[in-house]
Amino acid sequence: MGAEQAWVLAAIPAGVFLVLALFGRALPRGGDYLGVAAIASSFILFFVVLADFLDTPGKLGPVVNDIQWSKIGDTFDLRMGIYVDPITIVMFAVVVTVALMVNIFSIGYMKGEPRYHWFFAVLQLFAASMLMLVMADNLLLLYISWELVGVCSFLLIGFYWEKRSATEAAKKAFITTRIGDVGLLIGIILLWRAGGTFNIQELIHLAEEGHFSQPYLFTALAFIFIGCMGKSAQVPFHVWLPDAMEGPTPVSALIHAATMVVAGVYLTARLLPMFEVADGMLLTVTIVGLITALLTGFIALAQTDIKKVLAYSTVGQLGFMFIALGAGEPAVAMFHLMTHAFFKALLFLGAGSVIIGTHHNQEMDRLGGLWKKMPITGTTFLIGSLALAGLPPLAGFWSKDEIFVALEHKWGAWAVILLGISAVTTAFYTTRLFIRTFMGKPADTHVYEHTRETPPVMTGALVFLAFLAITSGFVVFHEVGKALGFPGGITEFIFLPHHGPHEYELKWGFAAASLAMAVVGIFSAAWMYWGNDLRRATALANWQPGLYDMLRRKFYFDELYQGMIDRGVLGFSYIVSWFDRYVVNDTGVDGSAQITGFTGGVLKYLQTGRVPNYAMAVALGVIGLALAGLVVRG
Amino acid sequence: MATEVIWWIFALGIIALSAGVVFSRSVIHSAIFLIGSLAGVGVMFVILTVEFLALTQFLIYGGAVTVLVLLALMLTRADPSGRAEKVNGPQAPFALLAGIGVAAVLLVAALSTEWAGNTESPTNIAIEAISQRLFEDFGLPFILASVLLLVALVGAIIVARQEEGE
Amino acid sequence: MVPLENYLALSAIVFALGVYGVLARRNAVMILMSVELMLNAVNINFVAFAAYLDPGRIVGAIFAVFIITVAAAEVGLALAIVIRLFRNRATANVDEAATMKW
């Protein structure tokens, strides 16, 4: 099997999805082993694909394999196929690794839950859709996978549909991303209209040749970017992601690390050559990323739910990725995407482990001091936290450092300073999260007493991910890449054609600044929360209650949207319902029925039942027709 | 010349008898007028030199149809005493107008049209020609017509027969 | 000789009389008789056309044969229906069988 057959990676989980969805209930243990086996075989086959890809003659040229989809006349020839290039390879690696870990972890986490088989079935479909998404060579196939991913997230977030908050969250996620999806669809249609093709590479080629006019290209890409913002939860579409925590925690890990949210980053990276051609598009991407990173960094400071903190952290880190893309560095974005995927999956699964270990407690106000009770979870969680905070030599440090370098190179110091603030808040809330959960004295002794370490099937996944969270950052180095069989570090693997590969070099100034930001954040958080002592934090909150309330309530985004919906949508729907009731229903429907009834009531007397009358009508009709004929003939 | 005289006598006769059919107050009289009218049409066929059709006309109409009509009249006499019943419906005046209208339309159409061909004198239609057309070119319709007659015969019997318990 | 138009005029008048009869009469049998008049008027037309305008193909004459056939079938069936009507309703007047209405 070669890289041309990479579609098999998606086909296996998709097939298993069908099996599990149809027969999972009847299988022993809900068929979870089938799910794990499917994703594991994809994991193994990924390395086959990778080896073949690295051996491809012509070194790292993209692999294309397409078939005719439908052909209408001579003008509309729709082809579908797969396109495997370094970006796809990195996405493959992230998706299969995280999906495999999540599947294994879920065996422990979901034990005894209702609809166990259905959970595993949808996980497979989720992974399959995401794999299909990242290897689609045309926007239409990509859009289909994109929507499939959305549906899967809807199903999984609303997995506990008996809970009202879960269905609400699922709805919110689906509708919010849908708004973006409409933008994506409009963008795809605009590009197709002017370019006449859905093929991504052809479209990029056309854009680089100046086939599209500047305003047109900007409009189309802006619409596509709205889709990316919706999927990747960028401000102002970020509101769905924290609520998506209603789903089972492994799902949160999957959504946040490997699938769903990174789809937007992936699509932007994939289309980045076009974004570069359109004036102002990169700046737009950068600003959206900066706003997101800053706002969510501050919101996360005041959240007390473990998963909520992690959720806002994810939104912020996605902002970092968009910033890297806005700086025109797909390699850096993909690098951060990968390292983030590993440590964020680790953190989420760690949170899941805490939730199971403490018998469903995820409020920091009731936790604390768990490290002693849950040593493996605590240690791996610490590794993930430090990676997220950006402490060397963990993975997060290298990718964040690269983002700073790229940002400064492209947009200058102002952007770096803004991002630096966000990096400090990141380190701060991460440390706060860790201290309040795992260190100091327990906030609730009852919870503490009953806490147990989770089974090996869960901690095993944590350890594996912790290993990746430590090491995955090193792929930036030329020597590490070479040793793994790549042409070099990640920046020599992924690059824009006209920029060419460049070797990574450590910029000491940036590294020192980056480290300083992490240290400032960590130490200030440690000073404030050490020993799970909230006196200093409470004093700070009381000093500026308005500010604290604003952060705790997430800058009032939900209230704002709710108000907009209440006033705008409900007001408008009131008018519509009035119109429907009185104009459409009473006047239109009832009116036409009344007119019909009245006319019939009058005209029914024509039906005398007397045959001579009918015969008379026939005769008069004949005379009339004959006269008409004579008149026409002249 | 003689033909024309004969034609006019019979044409006026047909019209008069037909008017008798539709205006007579007695159904029996109407039926008798109908026999005459149909026989007149048969004579018209003779004048048109289609003797075969004339014979058919006499046989079927003069013989079969009229007898059938008379039988039906006798079977459906509402009042055997022969008390005068209104024979025309309420829309009779309008019927007169409609009839005049139809006549006007037909006459205008027939007389104002330029007919292509010899309109002065009829050509003799030999019985051999009719048989040839009927049995060769119109063979299938001819057979179908016989089937139609059979169906009508059976249908009429079933509709009209006295059912048990009636 | 008699021109074609004479036949056409005769046919038109007889046909119109038939129409009047159908529309004016109450008795179903009389209506049937009027229908026979109309059919015969049509036959005159057909045969006249055949003899004057179409002596080679004489389709009109053939049609007249079929019309006579169909008319015979029609009379037979219609009279059966009239007898049926009379048996059920003790009348042969069509305007008294008027239940098929609003």
Side-chain angles (χ1 to χ4, degrees), chain A residues 26-85:
Chain A
L27 293 172
R29 292 195 14 199
D32 56 1
Y33 44 86
L34 279 181
V36 175
I39 210 72
S41 47
S42 288
F43 183 75
I44 293 161
L45 287 176
F46 160 69
F47 289 101
V48 179
V49 168
L50 177 64
D52 183 69
F53 181 78
L54 292 176
D55 286 346
T56 303
K59 269 306 181 195
L60 306 181
V63 179
V64 181
N65 176 10
D66 73 335
I67 56 169
Q68 192 167 58
W69 192 348
S70 81
K71 186 169 163 67
I72 303 168
D74 292 329
T75 49
F76 188 82
D77 183 10
L78 187 57
R79 306 188 70 81
M80 107 177 136
I82 63 170
Y83 179 87
V84 180
D85 72 346

Side-chain angles (χ1 to χ4, degrees), chain A residues 230-348:
Chain A
K231 215 56 154 189
S232 290
Q234 296 299 289
V235 174
F237 294 115
H238 66 286
V239 289
W240 68 267
L241 212 152
D243 286 27
M245 295 302 114
E246 287 293 341
T249 307
V251 172
S252 309
L254 195 58
I255 290 179
H256 285 244
T259 58
M260 189 81 180
V261 293
V262 295
V265 179
Y266 163 77
L267 181 57
T268 309
R270 171 63 75 213
L271 298 179
L272 201 61
M274 294 178 88
F275 279 62
E276 284 198 314
V277 176
D279 288 334
M281 210 50 229
L282 287 183
L283 184 62
T284 313
V285 174
T286 310
I287 289 174
V288 167
L290 272 176
I291 292 173
T292 307
L294 274 174
L295 282 188
T296 55
F298 280 111
I299 294 173
L301 293 178
Q303 301 303 310
T304 53
D305 183 320
I306 305 179
K307 288 177 72 182
K308 283 263 160 75
V309 175
L310 292 176
Y312 278 106
S313 142
T314 302
V315 180
Q317 298 305 307
L318 289 166
F320 276 65
M321 294 173 211
F322 277 113
I323 289 164
L325 290 170
E329 288 286 356
V332 176
M334 298 315 288
F335 182 35
H336 192 58
L337 189 154
M338 182 178 72
T339 58
H340 170 258
F342 293 143
F343 64 66
K344 190 51 66 72
L346 168 61
L347 286 172
F348 266 109

Side-chain angles (χ1 to χ4, degrees), chain A residues 125-202:
Chain A
L125 183 61
F126 210 162
S129 327
M130 194 64 199
L131 288 169
M132 202 62 232
L133 195 159
V134 298
M135 65 178 133
D137 77 336
N138 66 76
L139 289 172
L140 208 58
L141 188 58
L142 184 140
Y143 185 75
I144 293 169
S145 322
W146 184 277
E147 292 296 351
L148 271 176
V149 169
V151 168
C152 291
S153 74
F154 172 79
L155 292 174
L156 287 173
I157 294 168
F159 184 73
Y160 298 119
W161 46 259
E162 298 91 343
K163 250 171 52 184
R164 187 168 170 76
S165 59
T167 59
E168 294 286 334
K171 237 164 49 187
K172 189 169 176 180
F174 198 64
I175 293 171
T176 313
T177 52
R178 261 266 36 120
I179 294 170
D181 294 349
V182 173
L184 175 63
L185 187 59
I186 293 172
I188 291 175
I189 292 169
L190 284 176
L191 286 181
W192 176 77
R193 191 169 149 259
T197 176
F198 288 112
N199 187 288
I200 295 170
Q201 299 309 316
E202 288 172 20

